[in-house]
Amino acid sequence: MDIFADFGERVRSTIARLGWTAADGTALDLTRVVVEPPRDAAHGDLAVNAAMVLAKPMGKQPRALAIELMGELAADPDVAETEVAGPGFLNLRLSAGYWARFLALVLREGEAYGRGTPGKGAVNVEYVSANPTGPMHVGHCRGAVVGDALANILAHAGHAVTKEYYINDAGAQVDVLARSAHLRYREALGEAIGEIPEGLYPGDYLKPVGEALAKRFGASLVGKPESEWLEEVRRTAIDGMMAMIREDLAALNVRHDVFFSEKSLQNAPDGDRVAQAIDTLTAAGLMYRGRLEPPKGQLPEDWEDREQVLFRSTQFGDDVDRPLMKSDGSYTYFASDIAYHLDKYRRGFANQIDIWGADHGGYVKRMQAAVKAISGGKASLDVKLCQLVKLFRAGEPVKMSKRSGSFVTLREVVDEVGVDAVRFMMLFRKSDAPLDFDFQKVTEQSKDNPVFYVQYAHARVHSVFAQAREGLPALDLSDEGLGGADLTRLSDAGEIGLMKRIAQWPRVVEGAAESHEPHRIAFFLHDLASDLHAHWNRGKDLPQLRFVNVDDPLSSHARLAMVRAVASVLASGLAVLGVSAPKEMR
RNA sequence: GGCCCCGUAGCUCAGGGGAUAGAGCGACAGCCUUCUAAGCUGUUGGUCGCAGGUUCGAAUCCUGCCGGGGUCGCCA
């Protein structure tokens, strides 16, 4: 049930009935005709822009068209008031009967209210993809939550979504990991290893890996050349790190459908997938031998000017063509990534989304170029860049240093403030804007803390129902019973306001899904909670507006129905964000 | 220097073709001596960085500047 879509249809069929055509007699393009909530509540419940959009193609005055349209729509029994305003808006106010039917429908749909129709196509969302070289730190947090919530939103909107994690287990970093683990292995055997040398990972989290290696191999890997143990140790270390990362993700309430190994690309059953991807590009005439200009700005120390094989990414909007092979003959990371995205495309994902940290921004164009190139223009990639999170404690910045190993892990944050606070706060800002996160603020029980404010709104509804059961035991508070209340009694501006907010839920979901902007859900929930709290507070001075009035069971019944719908939308929204909807606050 | 993101009220930020640009915090002024659980109501406050352009209409789209951040072959 989407009242804006409903009236959008009514407007379009009215235009057809009126026989409106373009000035030259051809059919009108109605794609820009929309029915929206007006910015100002004084303008009514729905705003129709048809007259303004169609005035030019029809060669008529917008206000005259609006008046003509108004004449028809005023006859609609669901429309209570009409007016033409401003440059040619047609404003509609809906009848009490329409609102009553709407609310009953929302109650009947329950958690399904706001879901898009299924069958919108497959989308692959790749996020986190942290290197398997250590525990997740707080910097990974935002991308993890944004990606997870976005995937949920897309699923809610009707897409078939796959959540994916790309394991970077093929580069030089995992060799460093293996050497670090080998050192811990010797340590586990009783050797004094002293300080961890520069260039290796110093963290204690590798000790269990060392112990596991000691248990499995005894002393058999000691004193052997690296070539004899590297692969085995590397595999064990990566498995250990990924197990740790999965636990971290689980603590954040993040679960991926697919963990895709970079290494598996080169060792695929059907051969080297990276080579195949490059062959695909070569066959398309997109590879050539050439030279690159040295990069502007700081010149790399070991820059060598050489002729190499380049991918013509500029043909797809990139700034310069890109090498896919290093000078030692191995593939660049980009080459693997192309093969990976090609794999995603072959698995049926023409619609791909990657969530990256903002420091990878320079990589976006080439990856999008590659996706276009390997799919013959049939696939597209959207990259959401997440800006930094700055940590504070009671207003004071939290110092972090990677060198000293004093960086804050994801687990520490979740353990201290809880998943709900972490997830909601990470989503309570546009992802491309920096975000301040204050450990103290996000656990405060006050209206200044958005997490609390929204969850409390949900809990408050349950508190209202507890009181209703006590004060008005005769009322049927089941969903059917509430749907059968006399909902036309809802006429106060605050009540209508709440229903109008509820009515926006489907379009908010759709908008967030289409724009790939999960924060819209969080802000909507905050607005809805705010409406509820505000209306509640009005009952303080005006007892006749209270949700539960023992003197007025009929109005109470209707209000309880409305409040149930509010809670239902809050619960749906929070569920999509992966945040719990508590029945009471403690 | 190239590219990307950002610039909206004193502060933190929404709004991203539509009407008189919003919210929270702050500030100011009341209420709150009790009910519906962690306050409430009101007031204040903006040249939407600047200048052009597109449009019936621009905070929103385009171009160019200014300012802040990020990034710039073989790190992933």
Side-chain angles (χ1 to χ4, degrees):
Chain A
M1 178 57 187
D2 180 341
I3 69 174
F4 303 96
D6 180 6
F7 273 85
E9 276 313 305
R10 298 192 198 195
V11 167
R12 274 185 282 277
S13 62
T14 303
I15 287 170
R17 194 164 63 242
L18 286 169
W20 285 4
T21 54
D24 58 7
T26 59
L28 286 168
D29 176 12
L30 299 183
T31 51
R32 289 177 60 218
V33 173
V34 288
V35 176
E36 294 176 311
R39 187 183 290 247
D40 188 339
H43 292 139
D45 302 334
L46 303 173
V48 185
N49 70 348
M52 290 178 297
V53 173
L54 299 178
K56 198 170 187 183
M58 291 176 70
K60 301 221 167 136
Q61 291 300 318
R63 288 189 70 97
L65 289 173
I67 288 167
E68 194 181 345
L69 197 58
M70 177 170 73
E72 291 294 311
L73 287 167
D76 188 322
D78 293 328
V79 173
E81 284 175 42
T82 55
E83 76 171 337
V84 170
F89 282 104
L90 171 57
N91 294 328
L92 307 177
R93 204 175 292 278
L94 300 171
S95 71
Y98 186 81
W99 281 119
R101 287 207 311 281
F102 163 72
L103 189 55
L105 249 160
V106 171
L107 286 172
R108 198 178 317 152
E109 290 184 26
E111 297 276 322
Y113 171 61
R115 269 186 195 281
T117 46
K120 287 214 178 98
V123 187
N124 185 290
V125 186
E126 182 214 323
Y127 57 107
V128 187
S129 300
N131 290 339
T133 54
M136 292 182 61
H137 57 82
V138 68
H140 295 119
C141 225
R142 191 174 186 182
V145 174
V146 167
D148 200 59
L150 176 56
N152 292 346
I153 290 164
L154 288 163
H156 204 76
H159 292 275
V161 178
T162 295
K163 300 176 173 181
E164 197 148 327
Y165 185 121
Y166 183 52
I167 308 170
N168 300 129
D169 54 3
Q173 292 200 17
V174 285
D175 289 345
V176 174
L177 175 78
R179 289 182 200 111
S180 310
H182 190 259
L183 202 60
R184 291 297 187 184
Y185 155 73
R186 283 158 50 199
E187 182 184 43
L189 290 173
E191 193 176 324
I193 58 167
E195 285 278 300
I196 306 289
E198 191 78 8
L200 294 186
Y201 296 112
D204 286 348
Y205 54 81
L206 280 171
K207 283 183 179 174
V209 175
E211 281 156 20
L213 286 166
K215 211 170 186 180
R216 199 156 106 224
F217 296 99
S220 66
L221 303 181
V222 179
K224 298 275 173 59
E226 186 177 288
S227 58
E228 290 182 29
W229 53 258
L230 187 73
E231 198 177 324
E232 195 65 49
V233 171
R234 186 174 56 207
R235 187 181 313 139
T236 308
I238 289 172
D239 287 350
M241 295 302 100
M242 282 312 296
M244 196 169 64
I245 287 171
R246 280 179 210 241
E247 277 177 36
D248 286 350
L249 289 170
L252 236 200
N253 214 350
V254 170
R255 276 170 198 81
H256 290 84
D257 302 310
V258 175
F259 285 82
F260 193 100
S261 154
E262 177 187 2
K263 206 168 189 329
S264 74
L265 286 167
Q266 282 183 57
N267 308 332
D270 59 343
D272 184 342
R273 294 275 187 84
V274 183
Q276 290 169 19
I278 295 175
D279 289 346
T280 305
L281 293 173
T282 308
L286 295 171
M287 301 295 296
Y288 69 102
R289 292 198 69 79
R291 273 170 203 284
L292 281 180
E293 295 281 316
K296 294 286 194 317
Q298 194 150 16
L299 192 70
E301 280 172 26
D302 54 349
W303 172 264
E304 53 174 314
D305 185 25
R306 66 184 175 91
E307 194 182 66
Q308 52 188 332
V309 181
L310 296 169
F311 163 43
R312 213 180 283 283
S313 57
T314 49
Q315 196 170 313
F316 302 89
D318 197 7
D319 303 313
V320 290
D321 292 334
R322 306 287 176 178
L324 301 183
M325 302 275 235
K326 300 179 195 173
S327 53
D328 66 2
S330 63
Y331 301 121
T332 61
Y333 179 77
F334 184 41
S336 298
D337 227 350
I338 292 175
Y340 173 46
H341 284 78
L342 174 60
D343 185 85
K344 286 197 263 192
Y345 174 61
R346 289 199 173 138
R347 278 186 278 138
F349 298 107
N351 209 339
Q352 304 184 8
I353 301 172
D354 288 1
I355 314 288
W356 297 349
D359 53 340
H360 291 61
Y363 205 77
V364 174
K365 279 190 185 178
R366 83 189 67 168
M367 200 63 244
Q368 290 177 325
V371 168
K372 272 184 233 157
I374 46 98
S375 68
K378 292 198 187 91
S380 68
L381 168 70
D382 185 28
V383 180
K384 298 300 286 181
L385 297 178
C386 290
Q387 284 288 345
L388 285 178
V389 176
K390 283 187 215 145
L391 296 181
F392 294 84
R393 192 176 293 279
E396 290 299 311
V398 174
K399 297 220 165 62
M400 275 193 288
S401 156
K402 247 186 185 171
R403 282 223 82 76
S404 64
S406 74
F407 59 87
V408 179
T409 63
L410 179 149
R411 191 54 83 84
E412 286 169 318
V413 179
V414 172
D415 287 349
E416 181 171 340
V417 307
V419 206
D420 287 347
V422 173
R423 290 193 63 122
F424 195 90
M425 290 312 294
M426 292 294 160
L427 296 166
F428 201 57
R429 188 111 311 170
K430 259 187 307 198
S431 58
D432 50 13
L435 175 122
D436 293 346
F437 184 94
D438 194 309
F439 282 96
Q440 190 175 313
K441 253 193 188 158
V442 302
T443 49
E444 262 173 25
Q445 300 219 336
S446 80
K447 65 176 300 229
D448 302 339
N449 174 8
V451 191
F452 171 79
Y453 193 65
V454 173
Q455 288 186 319
Y456 176 40
H458 184 265
R460 180 166 257 179
V461 173
H462 282 266
S463 163
V464 168
F465 270 82
Q467 284 166 28
R469 276 189 287 275
E470 196 165 314
L472 293 164
L475 287 184
D476 180 355
L477 300 182
S478 67
D479 282 342
E480 298 77 40
L482 290 170
D486 178 11
L487 301 173
T488 57
R489 286 172 173 269
L490 299 167
S491 55
D492 176 76
E495 293 162 354
I496 301 286
L498 270 166
M499 286 195 287
K500 282 161 81 167
R501 185 75 71 183
I502 290 169
Q504 288 184 32
W505 174 233
R507 69 198 308 273
V508 168
V509 171
E510 202 181 331
E514 276 176 11
S515 61
H516 302 167
E517 291 184 340
H519 76 277
R520 294 193 190 195
I521 306 285
F523 278 96
F524 170 81
L525 293 177
H526 192 262
D527 288 343
L528 177 57
S530 174
D531 288 346
L532 181 80
H533 290 310
H535 190 63
W536 165 287
N537 287 322
R538 253 170 245 133
K540 214 166 202 174
D541 292 334
L542 304 169
Q544 70 273 19
L545 287 182
R546 295 180 179 187
F547 299 138
V548 179
N549 260 326
V550 285
D551 308 332
D552 189 354
L554 293 180
S555 290
S556 297
H557 206 201
R559 288 169 186 168
L560 286 162
M562 178 191 70
V563 158
R564 165 71 51 87
V566 170
S568 170
V569 171
L570 285 171
S572 301
L574 287 169
V576 163
L577 301 186
V579 177
S580 71
K583 295 196 166 138
E584 60 179 338
M585 306 301 288
R586 278 196 220 129

